[in-house]
């Protein structure tokens, strides 16, 4: 996670390199077998396209650099499941303490290679229907902003909440599978700390 908690004298490593074994980003993916195309009805194809969720399995690395009150993070991940391209993100964030509240803000950009973008948001000729027409996107660049808080309710319980807003690339939002140019998510959690 890009957000850090202050404490213990604010001692931080200046650079950290992490190797990533799996990235659990939720993506859209349904790719029918070309041979079974003639046996699949248009209604069945539409149903598959409307609910084609799966997990993107990837490996890569993440480099984090701490600079005064800011954190700069770069991540590069490649799909290891089916060789469906790469994704890369760069994010800049900072956090502040106000009483017991840890407040953070993050801005970022995400690059999806042409192959990755086609896998996630494209529709092949075999998948195409009258509702979901064939779509072959190029690479994409999405932008995001996040604001969040964390608060220790007790010694063992921590409340966290964040709002993430994402501006989708034209290559993404023009997909027949996507119905908006932006995405906003609110996420909250209550965690027990051992």
């Amino acid at each position: 996670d890009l957000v850090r908690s202050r404490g213990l004298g604010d001692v931080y490593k200046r650079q950290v390199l992490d190797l990533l074994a799996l990235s659990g980003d939720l993506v859209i993916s349904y790719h029918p077998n070309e041979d079974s195309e003639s046996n699949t009805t248009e209604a069945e194809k539409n149903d598959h396209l409307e609910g084609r969720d799966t997990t993107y399995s990837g490996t890569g690395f993440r480099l984090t650099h701490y600079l005064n009150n800011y954190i700069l993070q770069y991540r590069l991940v490649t799909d290891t499941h089916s060789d469906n391209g790469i994704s890369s993100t760069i994010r800049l964030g900072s956090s502040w303490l106000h009483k017991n509240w840890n407040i953070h803000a993050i801005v970022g950009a995400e690059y999806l290679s042409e192959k990755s973008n086609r896998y996630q948001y494209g529709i092949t000729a075999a998948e195409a229907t009258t509702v979901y027409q064939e779509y072959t996107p190029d690479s994409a660049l999405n932008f995001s902003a996040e604001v969040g808080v964390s608060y220790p309710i007790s010694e063992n319980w921590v409340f966290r909440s964040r709002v993430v807003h994402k501006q989708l690339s034209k290559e993404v939002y023009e997909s027949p599978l996507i119905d908006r140019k932006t995405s906003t998510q609110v996420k909250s959690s209550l965690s027990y700390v051992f």
Side-chain angles (χ1 to χ4, degrees), residues 23 25 32 45 54 56 58 62 76 84 88 96-98 101 119 133 145 156 169 194:
S23 180
D25 298 327
K45 285 183 179 182
T54 189
Y56 179 93
R62 178 177 58 204
L76 179 67
N84 288 310
S88 179
W96 306 268
L97 282 177
H98 178 69
W101 290 90
Y119 174 69
Q133 297 181 5
N156 296 99
S169 165
F194 294 93

Side-chain angles (χ1 to χ4, degrees), residues 101-157:
W101 290 90
N102 186 347
I103 305 162
H104 72 270
I106 302 168
V107 294
E110 171 191 44
Y111 167 80
L112 297 172
S113 70
E114 179 180 290
K115 197 172 189 180
S116 181
N117 209 31
R118 287 182 181 176
Y119 174 69
Q120 294 182 44
Y121 303 107
I123 298 175
T124 65
E127 296 172 303
T129 68
T130 55
V131 175
Y132 298 102
Q133 297 181 5
E134 183 176 359
Y135 182 67
T136 309
D138 292 323
S139 61
L141 186 61
N142 300 315
F143 296 96
S144 64
E146 174 179 327
V147 176
V149 296
S150 61
Y151 181 80
I153 295 172
S154 69
E155 184 177 332
N156 296 99
W157 290 96

